[in-house]
Amino acid sequence: MLGLTWLGGLARRRRGRLVGVAAGVALAVGLLASLGSFVAVAKSDMTRHAGAGVLVDWQVEAQPGTDAAAVLDALKADPSVQAATPVAYAATTGLQTTSGGTTQSTGPGVLVGMPADYGQRFPGVVRPLAGSASGVVLAQQTAANLHAAPGDTVVVGLPGGGSAPLVVEGVVDIAQADSFFQKVGAAPGSSPVAPPDNVVLMPSSTLASLGAGPITQQVHVRLGRDLPRDPAAAFVFVSGQARNLEVRLAGGALVGDNLGAALGAARQDSLYAQLLVVLLGLPGAAVAMLLTRAVAASGATRRRRELAVLRARGATASALASVALTESVVVAVGGGVLGLAAAWVAGRWAFGSGSFGTTTSSAVSWAGGAFLVGVLATVLAVFVPARREAQSVGVVAARAEVTRDRMPFVLRWGIDVWLLLAGGAVFWLTSRGKYALVLAPEGVPAISVSYWSLAGPLLLWAGIGLFGWRLVQWSLGRRAALVAVVRRFAGAGSLARPVASSLRRQRRTISTAGALLGLTLAFGFSTAAFNATYRQQVEVDAVLTNGADVTVSSPPGVAVDPALAGRVAAAPGVGHVEAVDHRFVYVGADLQDLYGVNPATVVAASRLQDSYVAGGSVRSLMATMARDPSSALVSAETVTDFRLQPGDTLRLRVRDGLTGALVEVPFHYAGVVKEFPTAPTDSFVVVNSSYVAAATGGPQPNQLLVSAASGWSPSRVAASVRSVVGAGSGATVTDLDSARRVVGSSLTAVDLAGLTRLELSFALVLSAGAAGLVLLLGFAERRRTFSIIKALGARRAQLRSFLAAEALVVLAGGVVLGGVGGWVVASVLVKVLTGVFDPPPSRLAVPWGYVVGLGSLVVVTTVVATSLALSAALRPRPEALREL
C-alpha cells in the first residue's frame, strides 16, 4: 500500500524525474531491440546476396557406370529444380594456331561441350567478348595466348595423338571459372584447383564428334530461391537437399554444391553484422543506461530526505524496500514497453522491417534480451540506490545539505588508467600481429573472428569516459583557474569566488554530467566517422572494380575504334574520356595483365589515390613515368617473386600489334602498384602507353574510362554511351551504379545506411538528454539553494552566473572529451575492421555536417535548459523556503 501511495506522489510531484528515468530505460531498450532489426535485415540481405551471386547452383557429376541421362531425369523430376542442363568436359593435349607465318601453341587444356540453349538457362556464365557466343569459342586468356580472333582456325590436340581443326566463332569470358571447372567430390579442406588457362567451348554434338577420349558428364542445376532468411538456416536447407539427391541416386552422382558453399561463407559473414552491433551499438546502449543512472541520481538528495521522513514516521525497512520496488517495476515496464514500441517504429523507418529476428524464436529472444537490459538498468539506477539509502542513511544525515565529496572508487583505484592501458595494449598487440577482423584475400572477404581484438576499442571507449570524468573533477579542484574562467566566460564578476565554490561543492555531479555528455558525443562522432569512412571506401572499391563512372571495354588485344573515343567524348553527360591499353604480358614465364596509361591525365580521370601505390605518391610516380617513359609500376607480388630492386631492368615480352609475335621491351622498375582500376588483385604492370605503343607497332587502347559530367548519374551516362557504342561493336559498357551492387561479397551486402540513420538519430537524442535533461533536473534539485540566494537579494544576472557557470563547465568538458574520444575510437574501429576496406582508407572521413549539427544541438539544448532553470529560479517559491 505504501508503495502505491509513494508512486502516486511521484506522479503528482516528481513527474519529470519519473518520466526522465523511464525515457532513459526506453532509449536503452529501443536501441538494443532496433539493433536486432538490423541483424535480421543484414542476415536476410546476406542470404539474398549470396544466392544472387551464384550462377550455377549445383554441378551434379555422374560417376563411372552411371547413365548421365538418368541423373538428368531425376533432377528434372525434382520440384525444387528450375533448370537442369547437361555439360560435358574433356581434355586436350594442346592448342595451336598459325597467323602471319607465325605459329602459337599452348599446353594442355579443357574442351567443354554444352547445348545451344545453355546461355538462356544460365545467363551470365558465358559472356561474349568478340564475335558470337555460340559455336566454337575460346576463353579470353586462351585467345590471348594463341593470338586468335573470330575466323581463325585452332588445331585441337586429342588424347592418343590425333588432332582436329576448328574454326573460332567468338571469344568469351567464363564467369566464376573456379567453380565451373571445380573438381566435384574433392575432400573438404583440400586446396582448390586453379581453372585451366586453355579452354575451348563448343556445342555438345561437336565435342562428341571429336572422339576426345574420356568425357566427364555433369548436369548444371539452378534451384528455386525460396530459402530461409538466415544464411545458416539456408545453408543447412540447401546442403540437406544436395545430400538427399546423392542418396536418391544411390551414389551414382556427386553434387558440387556451389550455392551451399556461398551460403556457408555468408553464414560465417553473418558474424560481421553481429560485430558491428558490438562495436557500434553496445556503446550507445551503455550511454543510455548511464543516462538513466544520471537522471535517477539527480534526485538522490531529495530522495534521501523523503525516505528519512518515512523512517521517522515508523516505516519499516521492508516497507521502504517495497517503495523502491514499486517505483522500479513501473519504470522498467513502462520504459521497456515504450522502448520496444520505439524500436519497432525505428526498425520500419531505418530498415523497412520491424522484426527483431529472422525467425520468431530469435525475434522473441532479442526483444526479451533488450527488455531484460532495461530491467537491469532500472535495478541499478533506481532500486539499488533507493534500497541502500533506505537501510543505511539516518534522518540527520539525510537532512544534511553539505556531504563529504569523495572521489568515486573507480577513480580512486585508477580503473580509468588501467582501462586505457589495457585497451591500448590489446590494440597494439593485434595491430602488430597484422590481425584483421575482416580478411579480404584475393578480393574474397571472409571473417576471422578473435574476440580478444574486440576488447581494444571497447576498453578504450570505457577508459576515455572515465578518464574524462577524472579530468573534469580535477579541473573543478583548481580554485584559482576556476575563478578566472567563471569571471571571464560566465559573467560572474564579483561573484566569481562564490560561484567557483559552488561548482567545487557540486563537482561530483557536474563532472558526471560532463563525462556523460562527452561519452554521448564520442558515440555520435565515432559512429558518424566510421559510417562515412565505410561509405567512402565502398565507393572507392566500386571505382576500382569498374574503373570509372562508366567503362567501355573490349577484350585484351582487340583495340577500340579510334573514332569511337571521340564519339563517346561527345555523348551527352560525358565529362572526360581516358583511354587505357590493356594487354597480357609475359614477366619471365608468368602471364600478367599490362595497363598502358597516359601519366599526365590518368590520376584525375581514374581517381587514383596514394594508398594505391608504394614508393612515393601517385602523382610523383606518374611524374616519373612521364619523365622516363620506360618506367613501370609493378605489383608487390611481382617484386617479391622476382626479387626486384628500384631501378632494375624488366625485360617484358609483349605482342607486337602488327606481326603478332612476342617482342622484348625493356622497362625500369620505378615503384609498386597495389591497386589499379579494373586490374586484378595479384599480378599486373602499369606502364606509359606511348612507350609500349612505340615498341609494339602502335597504340591499342581497348578501355575507355568515362567520367560523368556534373549533375549526371553514372547510369544515365552509361545509357548515353551505349547508344553511341552500339551493340555490334563488341565492346561492353558498365557503370559505377551497377558495380556498387556487385563488388565484394555478402559482407558489403550489409546495409549500413539504415544502421547509420538509426544510431545517429539515437546519438542526437542521447546528446540532447545528456546536455539538457541532466542539467535541468540537477538545477531543479537545487531550487532550494536558488530560493535562498534570491531571498538574500540576488539579481537576475547574479542567478544566471551560477547557472551559466555550471552549464559552461559541463558543455566544455563534454565537447572536448567527445571530440578527442570520438576521433580515437573511430580510428581504432576503422583499424580493427580494416580488412573490409579494399584498399584501406588513408584517413577518416568525417561528416562535418552531422558533427556540426550535433554540436549545435548540444549547445542549443544546454542554453534552453539553463534558461528554463533561470525562469524557475526567478519565480517565487515560498514552499522551498519552508524546507529550511
Side-chain angles (χ1 to χ4, degrees):
M1 188 64 182
L2 180 59
L4 294 177
T5 303
W6 172 270
L7 187 62
L10 287 177
R12 291 190 301 272
R13 303 294 301 276
R14 304 288 182 265
R15 187 181 304 111
R17 191 180 69 198
L18 190 66
V19 171
V21 176
V25 172
L27 283 173
V29 173
L31 179 56
L32 285 177
S34 299
L35 293 176
S37 298
F38 163 71
V39 171
V41 171
K43 287 185 175 183
S44 180
D45 288 344
M46 285 181 170
T47 302
R48 184 174 61 256
H49 188 278
V54 179
L55 302 177
V56 179
D57 296 336
W58 286 350
Q59 291 173 236
V60 184
E61 186 171 306
Q63 297 302 289
T66 300
D67 184 6
V71 175
L72 180 61
D73 291 340
L75 286 166
K76 288 183 175 179
D78 191 331
S80 65
V81 173
Q82 291 188 344
T85 299
V87 177
Y89 296 80
T92 175
T93 58
L95 306 173
Q96 187 179 90
T97 60
T98 301
S99 176
T102 303
T103 299
Q104 289 84 31
S105 301
T106 70
V110 176
L111 308 177
V112 181
M114 53 182 56
D117 63 348
Y118 184 88
Q120 298 175 1
R121 291 176 175 268
F122 297 92
V125 176
V126 178
R127 183 170 66 91
L129 299 177
S132 173
S134 60
V136 176
V137 297
L138 301 180
Q140 176 181 342
Q141 186 164 337
T142 308
N145 293 342
L146 293 172
H147 200 59
D152 292 343
T153 298
V154 174
V155 178
V156 177
L158 302 175
S163 63
L166 298 173
V167 177
V168 177
E169 299 179 48
V171 178
V172 299
D173 175 50
I174 302 175
Q176 300 178 353
D178 288 345
S179 61
F180 191 89
F181 294 102
Q182 68 178 294
K183 184 179 180 181
V184 176
S190 61
S191 299
V193 178
D197 291 334
N198 304 304
V199 177
V200 183
L201 283 69
M202 62 191 70
S204 302
S205 57
T206 302
L207 179 61
S209 67
L210 294 179
I215 294 180
T216 300
Q217 298 287 350
Q218 289 187 0
V219 178
H220 288 192
V221 177
R222 185 176 74 251
L223 301 172
R225 285 295 190 268
D226 187 16
L227 302 174
R229 292 195 300 162
D230 191 311
F235 169 77
V236 172
F237 177 76
V238 172
S239 299
Q241 282 185 307
R243 288 192 296 269
N244 179 265
L245 175 63
E246 291 179 343
V247 169
R248 286 191 285 116
L249 294 174
L254 296 177
V255 179
D257 189 1
N258 302 326
L259 179 57
L263 291 171
R267 177 183 58 172
Q268 297 298 319
D269 293 348
S270 64
L271 290 173
Y272 177 52
Q274 299 172 39
L275 294 175
L276 287 175
V277 167
V278 171
L279 294 176
L280 300 179
L282 289 187
V287 167
M289 294 177 67
L290 292 174
L291 179 61
T292 302
R293 178 70 180 86
V295 172
S298 66
T301 301
R302 180 171 294 277
R303 179 189 295 275
R304 283 198 304 269
R305 293 173 183 167
E306 291 166 345
L307 292 177
V309 171
L310 291 178
R311 291 186 64 183
R313 293 179 178 178
T316 62
S318 60
L320 295 179
S322 69
V323 167
L325 181 61
T326 301
E327 182 179 352
S328 300
V329 168
V330 171
V331 169
V333 173
V337 172
L338 180 62
L340 291 178
W344 185 86
V345 174
R348 299 283 298 180
W349 167 66
F351 311 117
S353 172
S355 173
F356 302 136
T358 54
T359 63
T360 301
S361 60
S362 63
V364 171
S365 299
W366 198 283
F371 189 88
L372 289 177
V373 168
V375 172
L376 176 63
T378 306
V379 169
L380 295 177
V382 179
F383 181 74
V384 172
R387 191 171 186 274
R388 181 178 61 246
E389 291 168 355
Q391 293 179 341
S392 60
V393 179
V395 175
V396 176
R399 296 290 296 174
E401 180 68 21
V402 179
T403 59
R404 185 181 178 185
D405 186 15
R406 297 186 62 192
M407 182 174 286
F409 80 93
V410 293
L411 302 184
R412 291 200 306 272
W413 288 88
I415 293 178
D416 55 334
V417 177
W418 288 110
L419 286 174
L420 289 173
L421 291 175
V426 170
F427 175 67
W428 179 74
L429 289 172
T430 53
S431 300
R432 186 187 65 168
K434 305 298 182 184
Y435 171 74
L437 199 63
V438 182
L439 304 174
E442 301 296 329
V444 182
I447 290 290
S448 174
V449 180
S450 169
Y451 291 99
W452 171 249
S453 69
L454 297 181
L458 295 179
L459 288 172
L460 286 173
W461 188 85
I464 288 171
L466 292 177
F467 190 70
W469 194 9
R470 178 188 294 275
L471 286 180
V472 176
Q473 278 215 333
W474 177 84
S475 300
L476 290 173
R478 309 303 97 187
R479 181 180 178 84
L482 190 60
V483 169
V485 169
V486 299
R487 177 180 288 118
R488 180 177 179 83
F489 297 103
S494 59
L495 289 178
R497 292 184 181 277
V499 170
S501 298
S502 174
L503 293 177
R504 294 185 66 197
R505 285 194 299 271
Q506 301 293 332
R507 63 182 178 181
R508 179 163 183 172
T509 301
I510 295 173
S511 61
T512 300
L516 180 60
L517 177 59
L519 280 177
T520 58
L521 291 176
F523 167 66
F525 182 93
S526 61
T527 302
F530 176 84
N531 292 337
T533 304
Y534 185 97
R535 291 194 303 272
Q536 168 189 280
Q537 294 310 117
V538 168
E539 181 74 7
V540 169
D541 195 10
V543 171
L544 276 173
T545 301
N546 194 62
D549 293 328
V550 176
T551 300
V552 182
S553 303
S554 289
V558 180
V560 173
D561 181 0
L564 179 61
R567 295 199 302 271
V568 170
V574 172
H576 177 75
V577 176
E578 183 75 12
V580 175
D581 187 353
H582 178 207
R583 312 187 189 189
F584 289 117
V585 61
Y586 283 95
V587 182
D590 189 14
L591 185 67
Q592 298 187 11
D593 292 82
L594 180 141
Y595 292 87
V597 302
N598 182 348
T601 58
V602 71
V603 175
S606 303
R607 308 186 202 177
L608 300 184
Q609 301 182 16
D610 289 340
S611 60
Y612 294 1
V613 299
S617 68
V618 66
R619 292 188 179 276
S620 67
L621 290 175
M622 287 298 164
T624 299
M625 187 178 294
R627 290 193 305 270
D628 179 8
S630 66
S631 299
L633 305 181
V634 298
S635 64
E637 183 175 331
T638 302
V639 173
T640 302
D641 291 345
F642 294 92
R643 298 181 181 277
L644 298 178
Q645 298 296 325
D648 283 355
T649 299
L650 286 170
R651 299 191 179 276
L652 308 181
R653 290 177 294 155
V654 189
R655 293 282 180 190
D656 188 276
L658 299 177
T659 65
L662 289 172
V663 296
E664 185 178 287
V665 183
F667 293 90
H668 294 93
Y669 164 45
V672 174
V673 58
K674 297 180 287 187
E675 305 280 356
F676 194 77
T678 74
T681 57
D682 44 14
S683 300
F684 58 96
V685 184
V686 178
V687 300
N688 190 316
S689 59
S690 61
Y691 177 76
V692 73
T696 58
Q700 299 181 38
N702 53 7
Q703 285 187 341
L704 301 178
L705 306 183
V706 181
S707 300
S710 177
W712 283 73
S713 67
S715 57
R716 287 182 63 201
V717 177
S720 175
V721 170
R722 286 190 185 98
S723 65
V724 173
V725 171
S729 66
T732 58
V733 179
T734 57
D735 64 88
L736 190 60
D737 292 336
S738 300
R740 291 191 190 101
R741 294 191 290 268
V742 300
V743 293
S745 72
S746 56
L747 286 178
T748 53
V750 176
D751 182 14
L752 281 193
L755 184 62
T756 301
R757 291 194 298 269
L758 177 71
E759 292 193 323
L760 297 189
S761 299
F762 270 98
L764 289 173
V765 175
L766 289 171
S767 299
L773 185 60
V774 174
L775 272 177
L776 191 60
L777 290 176
F779 292 151
E781 289 301 316
R782 291 193 296 281
R783 65 182 185 274
R784 175 176 178 271
T785 301
F786 296 138
S787 297
I788 294 174
I789 296 174
K790 185 174 182 298
L792 293 176
R795 297 185 302 276
R796 179 186 181 90
Q798 293 171 324
L799 281 173
R800 184 172 57 242
S801 66
F802 280 88
L803 297 171
E806 183 172 337
L808 177 66
V809 171
V810 172
L811 184 61
V815 169
V816 172
L817 175 61
V820 175
W823 182 85
V824 171
V825 172
S827 300
V828 173
L829 284 175
V830 169
K831 182 65 177 177
V832 169
L833 291 173
T834 189
V836 81
F837 303 122
D838 183 24
S842 56
R843 62 183 182 275
L844 284 178
V846 180
W848 290 112
Y850 175 83
V851 172
V852 172
L854 180 64
S856 301
L857 175 66
V858 168
V859 171
V860 170
T861 305
T862 303
V863 172
V864 170
T866 305
S867 300
L868 291 175
L870 179 62
S871 298
L874 291 173
R875 288 197 298 269
R877 300 187 62 89
E879 69 275 10
L881 295 176
R882 287 196 295 268
E883 295 179 1
L884 290 172

